[in-house]
Amino acid sequence: MQLRKVTAASAAVLALALTATACGSDDKDDASGSGGGKKITIGIKIDQPGIGLKTPDGKYTGFDVDVATYVAKELGYDAKDINFKETKSADRETSIERGDVKFIAASYSINDERLQKVDFAGPYLLAHQDILVRADDNSIKSPEDLNNKNLCSVTGSTSAQNVHDKLAPKAELQEYGGYSECLTGLENKAVDALTTDDSILAGYASQDANKGKFKLAGFKMTNENYGIGLKKGDADLKKKINDALTKMVSDGSWDKAVKANFGPAGYKNEAAPKIGNVVK
């Protein structure tokens, strides 16, 4: 009799475990990329206005967010099925390799070093290193004019150092903790220019609080091919994402997203790049 009670109890525990497993499976990412009501986790930036930003009310905005949402829809996921996950620059390859995210759209430039660890779909945007100056400052007409000027970038970034080493060796480098601090310094004339990718600069300048205060110089000092990072060797997913990006351009959604996120800064974007065409 005691044996039957234990057996019945064990069977009940097993049944509960199986039920919980079945219920929980719908919350996992769909490994096939075919949607079907399952969730998908996508890596983005959450602190770059115009690119990827998490607003105080918990919403996500920006060009990369729009691209990721469009691609996910083409893969079969509704917006409600998307779990956006912050992926900082230093963590992107690791997040992909561990399977923490299905793919990443986070101002993620394609380069040879990264291609050793992950694959890329795209590119979907050709950005350039540029500088942001005050709207009324006409003294900086070329990168060389940054000599003897205070040039700001964020701690850990190589952008300002690249300008100093290659174009304006007499530029005075000023490192701040974040781009917002650089913008405050630029507005208050503590610094004369801020440098990073033009798409990121345009996003900051397009914020309501900054409209009309700053302008892009348009120097195009480097080529930054933004791609969607995914697990190395997943050729099927790469093709699906590339097909989605091609459709996004052809149906006008790409242009619409560019204007919505960068337009207020007067960002003169490049035409949508062709899939697989990485500009050196």
Side-chain angles (χ1 to χ4, degrees):
M1 187 66 176
Q2 184 65 28
L3 178 60
R4 283 196 295 270
K5 286 183 179 180
V6 173
T7 302
S10 299
V13 170
L14 178 59
L16 285 171
L18 290 172
T19 301
T21 302
C23 292
S25 63
D26 288 341
D27 293 331
K28 294 181 179 179
D29 282 2
D30 177 13
S32 67
S34 60
K38 295 186 178 181
K39 304 292 185 180
I40 184 170
T41 301
I42 301 173
I44 59 167
K45 292 290 182 67
I46 66 169
D47 58 354
Q48 291 182 344
I51 297 289
L53 181 70
K54 185 176 182 180
T55 60
D57 59 359
K59 295 180 180 179
Y60 297 91
T61 66
F63 182 70
D64 282 354
V65 174
D66 290 345
V67 169
T69 301
Y70 188 99
V71 169
K73 182 179 179 181
E74 291 301 304
L75 293 177
Y77 300 94
D78 293 331
K80 63 181 175 57
D81 298 324
I82 300 173
N83 172 37
F84 286 118
K85 181 180 178 66
E86 179 185 14
T87 48
K88 296 181 179 180
S89 296
D91 300 331
R92 288 179 296 205
E93 287 84 30
T94 303
S95 295
I96 292 172
E97 291 172 339
R98 281 197 313 236
D100 295 342
V101 295
K102 190 65 180 176
F103 62 80
I104 290 178
S107 54
Y108 201 5
S109 298
I110 302 171
N111 62 37
D112 292 339
E113 181 181 355
R114 291 168 179 161
L115 283 168
Q116 299 299 314
K117 298 179 179 179
V118 300
D119 279 343
F120 283 95
Y124 62 89
L125 182 72
L126 176 59
H128 307 280
Q129 186 180 342
D130 200 355
I131 67 165
L132 193 73
V133 296
R134 290 181 293 277
D136 60 355
D137 185 354
N138 297 311
S139 66
I140 303 175
K141 299 178 180 178
S142 71
E144 290 74 20
D145 291 334
L146 290 167
N147 282 308
N148 301 314
K149 299 279 190 179
N150 290 320
L151 178 62
C152 186
S153 192
V154 298
T155 303
S157 170
T158 60
S159 299
Q161 192 66 49
N162 288 340
V163 173
H164 178 273
D165 292 347
K166 300 175 183 178
L167 299 170
K170 293 182 180 180
E172 297 291 335
L173 303 186
Q174 302 286 329
E175 283 195 343
Y176 284 50
Y179 291 115
S180 295
E181 295 172 47
C182 281
L183 282 170
T184 299
L186 184 58
E187 184 177 4
N188 296 335
K189 299 185 178 181
V191 297
D192 301 300
L194 160 62
T195 185
T196 187
D197 293 357
D198 53 6
S199 57
I200 297 173
L201 295 174
Y204 276 101
S206 295
Q207 288 183 290
D208 288 340
N210 297 326
K211 287 179 181 177
K213 295 181 179 179
F214 309 106
K215 64 182 178 182
L216 288 160
F219 292 158
K220 298 183 179 181
M221 293 179 282
T222 63
N223 293 323
E224 306 295 337
N225 298 270
Y226 288 3
I228 291 182
L230 64 149
K231 186 166 289 187
K232 197 164 185 64
D234 195 340
D236 182 58
L237 180 59
K238 180 177 178 179
K239 181 182 184 305
K240 289 178 179 178
I241 294 176
N242 279 336
D243 288 345
L245 293 173
T246 300
K247 182 178 178 181
M248 186 178 186
V249 173
S250 66
D251 70 11
S253 298
W254 188 90
D255 280 321
K256 184 179 179 180
V258 168
K259 291 175 183 176
N261 292 292
F262 304 130
Y267 176 53
K268 296 178 176 61
N269 62 283
E270 300 279 3
K274 294 182 179 179
I275 298 300
N277 183 29
V278 178
V279 180
K280 298 295 186 180

